[in-house]
Amino acid sequence: MSRLLLRFLNPPALVLAVIFGIALQTSLFSYYPFLYLQPDIVLLLVVWCALRRNFIEGGILTIIMVSLAEAHSSAPQGLFLSSYMAIYLTLRALARYLMLDRLSTLVIVTLFVSIAWKLLNLLILYLLGLSENQWRHTISLMAPGAIVEGICAIWVYRWLERFDWFTAKDPRARQELSEDLQLEEEM
Amino acid sequence: MFKYLKEYRFYIVLFFFIIIPIVAIDTATHTPRPYRFYDRVAVGITAPVQRLIAWSLDLVVSAFNNYVYLWQTRQTNLRLLEENRKLLNLIVNLREAQDENVRLRKLLDFKEEFNLQTIAARVIAKDVSTEFRAIRINRGEEDGIRKDMAVINNEGIVGRILRTAKKTSDVVTILDLLSAVDAIDKRSRVRGIVEGMTDQLCQLKFALRTDDILANDLLISSGLGGVFPKGIPVGVVSKVKKEAYGITQTVEVRPSVDFSRLEEVLVVADSQAVPFHLTAPQEVVSRIGEAASATAAATNLGTPASGSNPQKEL
């Protein structure tokens, strides 16, 4: 029963974790020279949701997390929603054809996603007519941003794996839970 | 009906996941959305954490400066004594300049006074994305901060208030893509719009090819638009590039504010004040400009400046 409750509390706890993550990200990395090395917690969580959550739950969590990110940025309305959702849907589609289960694979995916997300932002800004001065900045920070993202991903994904295991959201934990429930029913 | 809904559930949800971002994107104004109820809740949670981290970092930095650098104290002390002597001399010169300023005011019979009502604030966080350059300050609606108030510091214009929460506000800096400041060249009085470009540079747009703009020209706010008070430094022209064709020229501007080390700012509560040196004849502008910059230097020294009146302490 307690594991069922924990499983139910997993998404709100994840949203709360994102809020604290954004607070840490925006304040810890607000000083020179760290401001150029700011990781994107929301992007890491979107990758996680795309690969470790079901389609509807992951999509809704993505929308919520992106709304939180938009509240902490001067980005034009809907920009983050479009780019993060595109990343989410692309990863979902890729996951149908590729095995993206191991932690090392997830980190490599994150590296590429970080670059793709920046390029996607640039494209949307271009379509909005705002990218005139942005491309130089984006391209110069693309590689360092992806490296920082990849390094952070190792810890964040490990923590998320443990968090999912603890809240019975992990596939193996889910399997154990359903077996237990079946046993209880039989008894 | 429900059978079909269940059967095509994936495609229906996929349709919504694609349509929601497309509907949400603001193609008309390109502005961030205002705070909604749940945004305020989220900001209410993140702001204390951000404040706590900023405070902790300050503590660490101050401990580092006070203890780790203690072995340098004697040299620092000697250097400071020398600096103090120079500054005392400077203060005497500044008082001279101030007196001259007052005399010129009387002479020209200007009635308006340059008296900015400001609210001091501390920067507690920066933008969640490296693509945008907004900052968050620890003053909000409770402190009288309203949307579109100008934000400055002793070096020049920082930006304007983008959104406000109860205890915090977001400031869109002049480096941001969405920022536009109407500016004039102090030397030639040429007008243009300063827009954000990179983390260190802005661009002066709509300056005609024939306009007289030179490197190292100081750009000041024109006061048009009613957001920024007139005469506040915006930046210095760092590069002017005229192509062989076209009607405009490319002008890069280095902001007068050092954004990489921005810690404290002043929010202008009343932006209608006009500094008199901008309305004075050209020949007195240079002399008074020197006096004004000397007064700004006095602000750094802790001498009460005539132009600013911080209502709140940090």
Side-chain angles (χ1 to χ4, degrees):
Chain A
M1 185 64 192
S2 62
R3 276 199 287 176
L4 267 178
L5 187 70
L6 280 172
R7 202 175 149 194
F8 175 75
L9 288 175
N10 176 287
L14 201 63
V15 171
L16 210 60
V18 171
I19 292 176
F20 280 106
I22 289 173
L24 280 174
Q25 175 192 332
T26 52
S27 49
L28 261 184
F29 292 88
S30 64
Y31 292 93
Y32 177 84
F34 302 109
L35 51 98
Y36 297 110
L37 304 172
Q38 182 178 267
D40 188 348
I41 298 291
V42 176
L43 188 67
L44 295 177
L45 268 292
V46 168
V47 173
W48 186 259
C49 286
L51 301 176
R52 296 292 169 93
R53 290 288 184 277
N54 71 46
F55 184 57
I56 298 174
E57 185 188 338
I60 291 169
L61 278 172
T62 299
I63 292 173
I64 294 170
M65 291 186 299
V66 173
S67 300
L68 291 171
E70 278 198 352
H72 290 78
S73 175
S74 67
Q77 182 176 339
L79 170 72
F80 284 173
L81 197 54
S82 308
S83 54
Y84 280 113
M85 188 51 85
I87 291 288
Y88 173 78
L89 293 175
T90 312
L91 276 179
R92 291 290 311 186
L94 277 177
R96 291 169 80 108
Y97 305 103
L98 300 173
M99 289 286 286
L100 303 173
D101 287 341
R102 290 170 58 190
L103 183 69
S104 53
T105 325
L106 276 178
V107 172
I108 293 166
V109 166
T110 306
L111 280 170
F112 284 105
V113 161
S114 171
I115 292 169
W117 182 74
K118 282 197 163 70
L119 290 174
L120 201 59
N121 262 344
L122 202 61
L123 175 72
I124 299 170
L125 284 172
Y126 170 75
L127 293 173
L128 289 173
L130 292 170
S131 70
E132 192 185 339
N133 302 322
Q134 190 63 19
W135 64 272
R136 243 186 299 175
H137 172 78
T138 304
I139 287 167
S140 62
L141 285 182
M142 198 173 276
I147 291 165
V148 171
E149 205 76 40
I151 293 168
C152 287
I154 299 169
W155 285 286
V156 173
Y157 292 150
R158 273 187 191 155
W159 182 84
L160 284 170
E161 257 176 4
R162 257 178 253 156
F163 173 71
D164 276 2
W165 175 259
F166 178 72
T167 54
K169 202 79 181 173
D170 186 89
R172 285 170 298 156
R174 217 181 306 165
Q175 179 71 27
E176 272 184 25
L177 179 63
S178 60
E179 279 169 13
D180 285 354
L181 289 173
Q182 209 171 345
L183 271 176
E184 273 176 28
E185 266 179 26
E186 283 170 11
M187 282 169 78
Chain B
M1 175 71 181
F2 287 111
K3 189 185 145 204
Y4 286 115
L5 275 179
K6 207 172 175 184
E7 196 177 336
Y8 295 107
R9 187 176 62 178
F10 174 78
Y11 296 102
I12 294 166
V13 173
L14 180 65
F15 171 76
F16 278 112
F17 282 168
I18 292 171
I19 207 74
I20 288 170
I22 293 170
V23 171
I25 204 155
D26 184 357
T27 51
T29 61
H30 303 162
T31 52
R33 62 180 162 81
Y35 281 141
R36 291 169 194 150
F37 166 71
Y38 50 86
D39 290 330
R40 284 173 185 273
V41 173
V43 172
I45 297 170
T46 52
V49 180
Q50 290 170 330
R51 221 173 295 169
L52 184 72
I53 292 168
W55 178 75
S56 313
L57 285 174
D58 277 354
L59 268 187
V60 172
V61 171
S62 94
F64 193 77
N65 288 337
N66 288 336
Y67 296 102
V68 180
Y69 285 157
L70 204 60
W71 61 277
Q72 285 186 333
T73 305
R74 193 172 172 275
Q75 284 146 316
T76 312
N77 197 23
L78 288 171
R79 191 174 50 78
L80 287 174
L81 280 170
E82 176 62 19
E83 204 174 311
N84 193 34
R85 190 185 61 77
K86 284 180 188 167
L87 293 175
L88 283 170
N89 281 338
L90 191 63
I91 287 171
V92 172
N93 290 339
L94 293 175
R95 294 224 167 104
E96 272 301 300
Q98 253 179 341
D99 289 346
E100 188 185 25
N101 201 344
V102 171
R103 282 200 307 276
L104 285 169
R105 265 176 200 272
K106 283 179 183 168
L107 189 69
L108 294 167
D109 196 28
F110 278 102
K111 288 176 185 171
E112 64 264 31
E113 267 186 37
F114 185 47
N115 185 25
L116 291 175
Q117 301 247 318
T118 57
I119 300 162
R122 176 178 280 271
V123 178
I124 57 167
K126 70 179 281 285
D127 202 297
V128 74
S129 161
T130 50
E131 313 298 307
F132 300 92
R133 290 125 200 159
I135 53 172
R136 179 165 292 162
I137 56 172
N138 67 342
R139 299 282 177 205
E141 287 159 4
E142 278 182 356
D143 306 289
I145 308 280
R146 299 280 172 271
K147 194 181 177 227
D148 284 333
M149 278 182 170
V151 181
I152 58 171
N153 73 355
N154 62 325
E155 293 170 327
I157 287 180
V158 173
R160 67 179 164 81
I161 299 290
L162 180 70
R163 291 177 295 208
T164 55
K166 232 175 179 180
K167 291 178 191 299
T168 59
S169 304
D170 288 351
V171 179
V172 60
T173 63
I174 58 169
L175 294 172
D176 196 279
L177 292 176
L178 305 171
S179 168
V181 181
D182 199 288
I184 44 177
D185 187 318
K186 196 178 174 193
R187 182 184 57 81
S188 62
R189 318 310 288 173
V190 166
R191 268 189 60 206
I193 306 287
V194 175
E195 287 187 1
M197 192 158 78
T198 68
D199 272 351
Q200 285 105 27
L201 288 174
C202 299
Q203 191 174 26
L204 183 73
K205 298 191 91 174
F206 310 115
L208 294 176
R209 207 167 164 276
T210 50
D211 283 345
D212 176 20
I213 300 172
L214 298 173
N216 295 324
D217 275 3
L218 177 67
L219 298 180
I220 53 174
S221 57
S222 70
L224 291 177
V227 175
F228 300 103
K230 192 173 182 178
I232 309 286
V234 178
V236 176
V237 174
S238 59
K239 196 166 138 191
V240 181
K241 198 174 156 193
K242 289 182 184 177
E243 300 288 350
Y245 51 86
I247 55 166
T248 57
Q249 53 185 318
T250 308
V251 181
E252 282 185 8
V253 180
R254 188 163 292 280
S256 28
V257 175
D258 182 0
F259 284 95
S260 63
R261 287 170 177 82
L262 186 65
E263 287 178 40
E264 285 95 21
V265 294
L266 295 170
V267 182
V268 181
D270 169 27
S271 64
Q272 299 309 312
V274 178
F276 88 108
H277 67 271
L278 287 168
T279 47
Q282 193 61 43
E283 60 269 20
V284 291
V285 162
S286 56
R287 291 183 68 193
I288 301 161
E290 283 164 19
S293 49
T295 314
T299 316
N300 284 337
L301 298 175
T303 314
S306 59
S308 69
N309 177 25
Q311 289 177 330
K312 292 199 174 233
E313 292 301 318
L314 287 168

